Amino acid sequence: MKKYMLDMKVTESKDLHTNYRLLKITSDKTLPEALPGQFVQVLVDHSPTTFLRRPISINYIDKKSNELWLLIQKVGDGTRAMATYKSGDYMNLLLPLGNGFTVPNRNEESLLLIGGGAGTAPLLFLGACLKEKGFKPAFLVGARSEKDLMQLDDFQQFGTVYATTEDGSYGEKGYVTNHSVWAGVQFNRIYTCGPKPMMQAVARYASANKIACEVSLENTMACGMGACLCCVEKTIDGHVCVCTEGPVFNIDKLTWQI
Amino acid sequence: MADLNVNIGSIQLKNPVMTASGTFGYGTEYTDFMDINSLGGIFVKGTTIEPREGNPYPRMAETMAGMLNAVGLQNKGADYFADKIYPAIKDYKTHIIVNVSGSSIESYIECAEKIAGLEQIPAIELNISCPNVKKGGMAFGVTCAGAAEVVRAVRKVYPKILIVKLSPNVTDIAEIAKAVEGNGADAVSLINTLLGMAIDAETRKPVLSTITGGLSGPCIKPVALRMVWQTYKAVKIPVIGLGGISNWKDAVEFMLAGATAIQVGTYNFIDPAVSIKIIEGLNEYCDRFGFKSVSELTGALEI
Ligand SMILES: Cc1cc2nc3c(=O)[nH]c(=O)nc-3n(C[C@H](O)[C@H](O)[C@H](O)COP(=O)(O)OP(=O)(O)OC[C@H]3O[C@@H](n4cnc5c(N)ncnc54)[C@H](O)[C@@H]3O)c2cc1C
Ligand SMILES: Cc1cc2nc3c(=O)[nH]c(=O)nc-3n(C[C@H](O)[C@H](O)[C@H](O)COP(=O)(O)O)c2cc1C
Ligand code: FES
């Protein structure tokens, strides 16, 4: 897929709870085609400590309004600086990067998309694409508490949403792997993105129950396009770049102890 | 329009702007962002005779105006390069130069011999300065005797242009450059990364799996510039300058300090089209100050 470097304009910037920010950005030109699971590399202005670009998942692409959505979790200087961008500001992006999730071709597959915290970001775009292809995806989102759950209304447009919180402030109390949905539905395929312990628990469950499972990794990156070899994950094929061969991996490829 | 051609030994570059090993892949990674044929040259990834998996993740730590890496020469080996990669890149209309590394004199020789057989590779850059491998690498580059020994050995088997990449992790880089020149190097390139370290205060652990790593990016520029200047005064062979170059001004400064050509490294990660902007900027600079040829800038520092 051809990659682009674009200066894009922020059209909307809003807080989602205190620790997250949603940026909607647009370009003069039609946005390049992108696959769910792909990401962008953002050049961060106004943060002297942020030298490298920051990898951020494509949260959603609204073709009608030519807008790309980015969901930012404020964890450090770079993401905090991005969260201050206001409507009218410009940001420079490289996109689209990485491989993307596998969209199955059998229509009858029952699919579960599991996200934790900001890891839910790529699942919105994935859910939208799956629905467009005729699937009925279900979403299972997990978080510490209600204030870390976002975009539930958006998810609901594309499928049923289940939720867990560790403190029980929303949905079922506990972890995603304990949710009651598992007892009722036999899933054929799971997609997951979020904190590593959560993804590992999901991978363990999927592996034990012989369910196909893809995870999206967030290894730290420098170039984001396969040039520096900084972002590698150890797989059964040796060290591979998460930015080009990932960020999405089938769990069968990984060497995680699950 | 100034004449941008420069010469490194018998190789003529269409302009002095090249990309640094390990930061530009094999060039193919960047074709969506620029016409890589307009570069003076491309130094491809560090290549060793045997395939190498490199160091464990994490291999990267960011710092103010720079980064540390501990990639550790991950590559698929010289045979794979010759059979699979070379055919795909050999016809680019720019010079492809292979960065050759080893863990012993014999492995440097073997790798250089293998690359010498590839017709459209006019030069190798001998990496005697990698701080991220346990054996070989920088060990050869930090003493005059070690540098002389490996260069002498490779010179015997490598008939084309031999560029030697120097380590900044030494007391006197000019002495190493002289030793390398004395043993048959056609040019030197400098600097490789500076040995550094990153610690995570929250976890009280080192950030890199190797604890220490190589520092690169704009933060190392003044050190690199100083070393290019010292080396330029000490040797007669061409000096290729690099270390933190991020715009045409930096490139001009390296040339004024004595560089015949320059390489852009880490900044490719920030702006994948930066080297094209540097070529344009150099041209404008020459026109503005009436330099007919960019080569007039080399060593033109006024003291
Ligand atoms: C493919 C990909 C997609 C991503 N998508 C999103 C997204 O949609 N939304 C979002 O908010 N974030 C996303 N991230 C993570 C985001 O890139 C990092 O949070 C960001 O780079 C942190 O930058 P900072 O300057 O704010 O923090 P820093 O100052 O760089 O770091 C703050 C703290 O976070 C830790 N940290 C930083 N980056 C990572 C990482 N990648 N993995 C583990 N720990 C890390 C650091 O060690 C440090 O402790 C994604 C990462 C990748 C690789
Ligand atoms: C990720 C990374 C990988 C590198 N790999 C190599 C390598 O394989 N061989 C080599 O000689 N230098 C390697 N270098 C060093 C660069 O070529 C260059 O000497 C150094 O980064 C300084 O230049 P810069 O500040 O412009 O990046 C690497 C640098 C980085 C950042
Ligand atoms: S971040 Fe450079 S290769 Fe993946």
Side-chain angles (χ1 to χ4, degrees):
Chain A
M1 264 174 125
K2 188 171 158 59
K3 303 186 222 28
Y4 297 83
M5 177 158 57
L6 298 176
D7 284 317
M8 296 180 69
K9 190 167 147 183
V10 179
T11 51
E12 191 181 336
S13 171
K14 66 172 179 193
D15 280 331
L16 304 178
H17 307 300
T18 45
N19 214 21
Y20 303 87
R21 188 103 174 158
L22 180 70
L23 297 177
K24 296 188 182 176
I25 57 180
T26 192
S27 164
D28 303 338
K29 303 189 199 83
T30 308
L31 289 177
E33 286 293 318
L35 304 170
Q38 288 191 304
F39 64 99
V40 303
Q41 278 270 65
V42 179
L43 188 64
V44 183
D45 291 325
H46 315 301
S47 172
T49 52
T50 308
F51 170 65
L52 296 165
R53 286 176 182 264
R54 289 294 186 267
I56 301 291
S57 305
I58 296 176
N59 178 221
Y60 186 65
I61 293 182
D62 188 339
K63 284 199 180 139
K64 271 189 270 149
S65 60
N66 203 41
E67 281 173 321
L68 174 85
W69 299 11
L70 301 176
L71 176 69
I72 311 291
Q73 179 181 16
K74 296 181 249 180
V75 299
D77 291 352
T79 47
R80 270 195 288 271
M82 264 187 261
T84 64
Y85 291 175
K86 287 184 283 300
S87 168
D89 288 348
Y90 278 85
M91 24 195 317
N92 183 276
L93 280 81
L94 306 180
L95 78 161
L97 305 172
N99 62 350
F101 293 101
T102 308
V103 175
N105 26 31
R106 284 189 304 122
N107 258 29
E108 66 273 21
E109 285 207 56
S110 85
L111 311 171
L112 183 63
L113 284 59
I114 308 177
T120 55
L123 302 183
L124 184 63
F125 188 36
L126 175 62
C129 294
L130 289 172
K131 185 172 182 216
E132 203 180 286
K133 293 248 152 62
F135 294 99
K136 290 196 185 68
F139 301 94
L140 173 54
V141 292
R144 223 162 263 152
S145 81
E146 188 177 8
K147 63 179 182 3
D148 301 299
L149 285 173
M150 293 149 289
Q151 299 184 302
L152 297 184
D153 295 345
D154 295 307
F155 281 113
Q156 250 138 23
Q157 291 181 38
F158 307 118
T160 316
V161 179
Y162 306 97
T164 62
T165 49
E166 285 170 41
D167 63 2
S169 54
Y170 189 92
E172 294 183 14
K173 187 170 169 30
Y175 296 107
V176 287
T177 40
N178 308 124
H179 197 278
S180 58
V181 67
W182 296 104
V185 190
Q186 178 62 46
F187 293 101
N188 305 129
R189 193 181 277 270
I190 297 172
Y191 304 94
T192 182
C193 182
K196 196 164 177 187
M198 185 206 85
M199 292 199 290
Q200 276 170 323
V202 170
R204 203 174 300 125
Y205 184 93
S207 173
N209 292 280
K210 304 211 165 28
I211 306 172
C213 180
E214 285 183 339
V215 300
S216 181
L217 304 185
E218 295 201 344
N219 291 11
T220 47
M221 296 181 176
C223 71
M225 44 200 250
C228 73
L229 308 186
C230 287
C231 63
V232 292
E233 177 73 16
K234 195 171 161 62
T235 69
I236 55 170
D237 305 319
H239 279 143
V240 303
C241 290
V242 171
C243 69
T244 50
E245 317 245 332
V248 178
F249 290 90
N250 190 300
I251 55 168
D252 297 342
K253 287 271 176 207
L254 300 177
T255 52
W256 289 1
Q257 299 302 321
I258 53 175
Chain B
M1 176 86 199
D3 176 5
L4 293 183
N5 290 287
V6 298
N7 295 303
I8 302 291
S10 58
I11 313 179
Q12 189 181 57
L13 310 176
K14 65 183 99 174
N15 62 64
V17 181
M18 304 185 278
T19 51
S21 176
T23 66
F24 206 68
Y26 295 103
T28 46
E29 291 82 350
Y30 285 82
T31 49
D32 284 344
F33 299 105
M34 64 154 132
D35 176 12
I36 60 171
N37 293 315
S38 47
L39 291 168
I42 297 174
F43 287 73
V44 302
K45 265 177 203 161
T47 302
T48 51
I49 191 70
E50 78 291 357
R52 285 181 57 98
E53 271 295 301
N55 293 318
Y57 178 85
R59 298 175 167 185
M60 194 277 289
E62 187 183 29
T63 177
M64 291 270 260
M67 62 178 273
L68 292 150
N69 89 82
V71 172
L73 297 174
Q74 179 180 332
N75 78 102
K76 292 186 171 161
D79 284 330
Y80 185 89
F81 176 79
D83 299 339
K84 294 285 190 316
I85 299 169
Y86 172 69
I89 64 174
K90 70 181 174 48
D91 293 321
Y92 283 138
K93 289 175 188 60
T94 183
H95 295 294
I96 306 284
I97 298 169
V98 178
N99 181 266
V100 168
S101 262
S103 50
S104 62
I105 299 276
E106 292 69 37
S107 61
Y108 274 103
I109 292 176
E110 264 186 81
C111 191
E113 278 180 322
K114 180 89 206 171
I115 305 298
L118 306 176
E119 200 184 338
Q120 276 151 274
I121 305 288
I124 58 172
E125 178 179 56
L126 206 62
N127 178 6
I128 56 167
S129 43
C130 180
N132 295 324
V133 290
K134 285 206 191 73
K135 269 190 1 207
M138 196 170 85
F140 288 106
V142 292
T143 64
C144 289
E149 189 188 0
V150 61
V151 173
R152 195 182 317 124
V154 171
R155 179 74 288 177
K156 283 198 193 117
V157 300
Y158 190 76
K160 299 192 240 179
I161 295 297
L162 177 59
I163 302 165
V164 180
K165 186 160 180 183
L166 304 182
S167 171
N169 304 304
V170 295
T171 317
D172 186 354
I173 199 163
E175 285 303 314
I176 311 271
K178 279 197 268 186
V180 161
E181 179 183 43
N183 283 279
D186 297 305
V188 285
S189 55
L190 58 140
I191 59 176
N192 208 319
T193 53
L194 281 151
L195 196 59
M197 179 168 172
I199 296 175
D200 185 334
E202 298 293 324
T203 59
R204 291 180 284 283
K205 291 192 168 126
V207 178
L208 300 170
S209 68
T210 47
I211 304 178
T212 60
L215 181 64
S216 64
C219 60
I220 70 168
K221 194 192 92 174
V223 178
L225 205 54
R226 181 264 293 179
M227 291 188 161
V228 165
W229 166 242
Q230 290 175 324
T231 303
Y232 172 70
K233 288 190 295 178
V235 298
K236 294 194 176 57
I237 52 178
V239 175
I240 300 170
L242 74 154
I245 295 178
S246 66
N247 54 43
W248 63 265
K249 240 187 227 173
D250 294 339
V252 167
E253 291 167 24
F254 273 82
M255 292 191 72
L256 295 174
T260 297
I262 60 106
Q263 297 176 22
V264 184
T266 302
Y267 216 77
N268 291 307
F269 307 155
I270 314 300
D271 178 358
V274 64
S275 29
I276 299 297
K277 294 171 191 165
I278 293 177
I279 297 169
E280 286 161 7
L282 276 178
N283 185 40
E284 277 164 28
Y285 179 86
C286 288
D287 286 351
R288 183 151 58 93
F289 287 96
F291 292 104
K292 292 208 170 44
S293 162
V294 74
S295 60
E296 291 169 41
L297 296 180
T298 299
L301 181 68
E302 296 176 14
I303 299 179

